[in-house]
Amino acid sequence: MRILGIETSADDTGIALVDAEGNFGSAFECTILANERISQSGHEAYGGIYPNLAKEEHKKNLPIAFEKVMQGNAKPDAIAVTVGPGLEPCLWTGINFAQTLAAKWKKPVVAVNHMEGHIIMSMMEIVSPSLGQCAKFEFPALALLISGGHTELILMKDPPAGGGHYEYIGRTRDDAVGEAFDKVARLLELGYPGGPEISRLAKEAREKNIVADFELPRPMLHEDNFDFSFAGLKTAVRRIVENPQAGGKPNDEIKLQIAREFEDAVADVLVAKTMRAVDECGVNTVVLGGGVSANAHIRTLLNSKLSSINCKLLVCPPEFSTDNALMIALAGYFHALKKEFADPVSLSAKGNLKLA
Ligand code: KG4
Ligand code: ZN
């Protein structure tokens, strides 16, 4: 089956085309025919995504990405489009694009949940630049989703796609972890998105053996639940940055110290809570997904803790961790296999769409 995936939930415009066959656990294979992503600029000044700017950029970028993807390729059997969660003005641009194609090609449409896309992407093994297979593992499995808008621990009782198999067991009570990275980066006068910037400085600090002479909190680390909180961490960083003794402006040394200590604090909390959930839920696989899962330190720490208890970590190559349309095409495929199609005319954007 050939699937076209469309992703416009935030500030990346993505279109991908895949040929896929098989099902979870039974000889799944996909050929990645094309995977275009156009990342937007211009949001730096706002320190976050400015929805109306993002919407206009998607409208401009979608036809450009589409033309590249379809070059030399026959039309797909179905179209998969992200309908939520995300910024509604942005989601609508992708939905309208999918509706136009569906009418023109007379092909069915699958409505995809963006977070399920992240989960399915991490379940894949990218064997070569154009070939993907499905990792071998058993259910139940635990998903840790960390992105710009989400921080969630989800128990998956059965393979994704097919409905009703997700159970939220923990979530952030305030900022998402990616949001915390972005806000701290802004306090440190770094670029947007902040995650890769902080991560780069933290790596440099580790290489130079620079250790902070202060300690940041590990919010909710010892609380007996699977919830998270990251707003206090950002406030703690602000206090250090705005300390008049430091001149009210972070110098390069302080930036390195903060980046490393912040990344350590975030990783400590994410990993500790995930390990507790693994133990309590009795799973032997963790699926790590979402843009923040591109973070090398979080991956390494989680992987070493999980391997010490013989638990498997599934995570995709970092370039597929952040938003892309390949993950939407793949999620769309598994729904299309089950003939779970949407009526293209009644599709609508759902900013707060949940998995369960
Ligand atoms: O999944 P994603 O691309 O978009 C959303 O669905 O939100 O995630 C974007 C988030 C941003 O907050 C960005 O700063 C963060 O992922 N991010 C990272 C890294 N790369 C991207 N955070 C930490 N370390 C990274 N290497
Ligand atoms: Zn995402």
Side-chain angles (χ1 to χ4, degrees), residues 119-300:
I119 292 176
I120 290 179
M121 190 69 238
S122 288
M123 289 167 52
M124 295 297 141
E125 280 168 353
I126 305 298
V127 186
S128 78
S130 64
L131 187 67
Q133 290 174 345
C134 190
K136 303 257 175 306
F137 66 101
E138 285 164 13
F139 289 88
L142 190 72
L144 172 62
L145 297 182
I146 45 178
S147 71
H150 293 257
T151 307
E152 285 153 359
L153 274 166
I154 298 167
L155 182 61
M156 298 189 292
K157 294 177 185 151
D158 286 303
H165 305 292
Y166 298 104
E167 183 188 337
Y168 286 88
I169 62 166
R171 49 162 61 88
T172 182
R173 297 197 178 165
D174 40 57
D175 292 352
V177 62
E179 191 181 351
F181 267 99
D182 295 335
K183 285 177 176 171
V184 166
R186 198 161 193 222
L187 289 170
L188 301 186
E189 299 171 342
L190 304 169
Y192 178 84
E197 297 284 317
I198 301 257
S199 169
R200 183 176 53 80
L201 290 190
K203 182 168 176 266
E204 187 182 332
R206 279 187 202 99
E207 282 163 1
K208 293 181 173 164
N209 258 323
I210 293 173
V211 183
D213 46 28
F214 49 83
E215 206 176 312
L216 290 174
R218 267 60 175 167
M220 300 184 69
L221 182 67
H222 299 294
E223 283 185 32
D224 190 18
N225 56 44
F226 304 120
D227 283 347
F228 303 93
S229 165
F230 294 104
L233 207 42
K234 170 197 68 197
T235 311
V237 170
R238 172 173 288 129
R239 261 190 232 112
I240 295 164
V241 169
E242 290 174 355
N243 178 0
Q245 277 176 329
K249 223 175 146 54
N251 60 37
D252 288 348
E253 169 79 15
I254 290 282
K255 285 185 189 182
L256 288 169
Q257 289 188 17
I258 291 176
R260 179 178 180 175
E261 174 63 8
F262 173 77
E263 197 177 65
D264 277 339
V266 167
D268 285 352
V269 178
L270 289 173
V271 172
K273 292 262 166 164
T274 305
M275 296 307 288
R276 193 181 303 157
V278 163
D279 184 47
E280 202 149 306
C281 302
V283 299
N284 53 27
T285 305
V286 171
V287 182
L288 176 64
V292 183
S293 72
N295 185 281
H297 182 63
I298 295 171
R299 281 172 178 242
T300 310

Side-chain angles (χ1 to χ4, degrees), residues 114 118 147 323:
H114 178 86
H118 278 303
S147 71
D323 291 351

Side-chain angles (χ1 to χ4, degrees), residues 287-338:
V287 182
L288 176 64
V292 183
S293 72
N295 185 281
H297 182 63
I298 295 171
R299 281 172 178 242
T300 310
L301 191 66
L302 185 58
N303 196 31
S304 81
K305 294 277 181 200
L306 288 173
S307 35
S308 73
I309 57 160
N310 283 324
C311 188
K312 203 169 185 172
L313 176 66
L314 302 186
V315 62
C316 58
E319 63 268 32
F320 297 114
S321 295
T322 46
D323 291 351
N324 62 81
L326 173 61
M327 66 188 209
I328 304 308
L330 292 171
Y333 167 73
F334 290 107
H335 285 284
L337 264 189
K338 296 190 168 152

